[in-house]
Amino acid sequence: MQRKTTLTFLLCFITVIFISEPVARCGPRPLSKAELLALVAGDILPENIAFDIQSRGLAFVPDASYKSLLKSAGADAKVFAAISAAKTTPETAGASDAQLLQHLSHAGELIKSGKLDDAGDELTDALTRSSAKSEIGFVMGMVLIKQTRYPEAGAIYSQILSEDPGFPELHTRLSTTYYQTGDPDEALRQTKAALAENPNNPAAHMNAAVSLQALQHFD
């Protein structure tokens, strides 16, 4: 079941990439509704999500319905505190896809309850209905990591980075996949990129430490 779900997702993911225009977004930008939900559903540390909210701001004003989706996806008090203090800008008309947000929230709920195959099915269905491949792929990467399928997760994160380099937390996740697939040099390079964005990133510091240990740089 895992293999079938992932192959279906990857086929859809690659197809969407080749038939779509490259995403012309790079550098820090305010987080969209889908991006923030993807970070929560994709199990990014709350400290890092709070940093991204604080440093980037939000390209929307969160309402009660959106906060409910975040809570279902697994957002904790640190995330909601950061949202309350965030700089916001009014959302562009038509920027949100309500069905996509529901898919991301439900996938996060399934991941946190350990229903990884169901989460994969949810995301594959979302990808066939939405062009938001970065957000959907980011969450699918976490499904694959939890299934210890690091090469496939790394392939998705790498593709997102090439298409949408401003997407948050990619370097953190890539450092994990490179370390787990036996490339501590590249893992360390990715952690340095992550720490350049957020010097207090706990996951990046941990990944840097294990990469340096693997490289026998004990000093």
Side-chain angles (χ1 to χ4, degrees):
M1 179 63 178
Q2 288 181 3
R3 179 63 57 182
K4 181 179 178 182
T5 297
T6 306
L7 288 176
T8 301
F9 181 88
L10 289 173
L11 178 61
C12 293
F13 190 76
I14 293 169
T15 301
V16 170
I17 288 169
F18 278 109
I19 67 173
S20 302
E21 292 295 325
V23 180
R25 301 186 295 183
C26 61
R29 59 179 183 266
L31 295 171
S32 69
K33 285 184 175 180
E35 285 174 328
L36 179 52
L37 253 178
L39 295 181
V40 174
D43 210 19
I44 290 295
L45 289 175
E47 296 90 338
N48 287 0
I49 298 175
F51 175 85
D52 290 325
I53 294 170
Q54 180 183 26
S55 62
R56 292 171 178 251
L58 301 175
F60 62 97
V61 178
D63 58 16
S65 175
Y66 181 75
K67 290 178 181 178
S68 177
L69 290 174
L70 284 176
K71 184 175 181 180
S72 295
D76 73 353
K78 291 179 182 178
V79 173
F80 285 111
I83 288 172
S84 296
K87 178 181 178 181
T88 62
T89 56
E91 186 176 18
T92 304
S96 291
D97 178 342
Q99 191 174 46
L100 168 66
L101 300 181
Q102 288 283 351
H103 278 300
L104 293 173
S105 179
H106 191 211
E109 190 174 4
L110 290 168
I111 290 169
K112 287 171 177 59
S113 63
K115 299 176 181 178
L116 301 178
D117 288 337
D118 291 339
D121 290 340
E122 183 82 16
L123 294 165
T124 300
D125 184 49
L127 193 63
T128 65
R129 301 169 185 270
S130 172
S131 61
K133 58 183 180 289
S134 296
E135 291 84 351
I136 299 167
F138 188 86
V139 181
M140 187 64 181
M142 188 69 250
V143 173
L144 294 169
I145 284 176
K146 286 184 175 291
Q147 293 174 336
T148 66
R149 300 168 71 175
Y150 300 106
E152 292 156 288
I156 289 176
Y157 292 133
S158 294
Q159 187 64 62
I160 297 172
L161 184 63
S162 69
E163 294 286 319
D164 188 4
F167 197 91
E169 301 295 335
L170 284 172
H171 295 294
T172 306
R173 281 291 161 79
L174 278 168
S175 68
T176 297
T177 61
Y178 277 115
Y179 175 76
Q180 293 291 348
T181 53
D183 190 348
D185 282 304
E186 184 59 25
L188 185 59
R189 191 179 75 83
Q190 293 295 332
T191 61
K192 289 178 179 179
L195 291 168
E197 296 175 350
N198 176 7
N200 295 317
N201 182 332
H205 280 291
M206 176 64 75
N207 290 347
V210 295
S211 297
L212 289 166
Q213 183 180 38
L215 293 166
Q216 298 188 17
H217 293 175
F218 300 116
D219 57 334

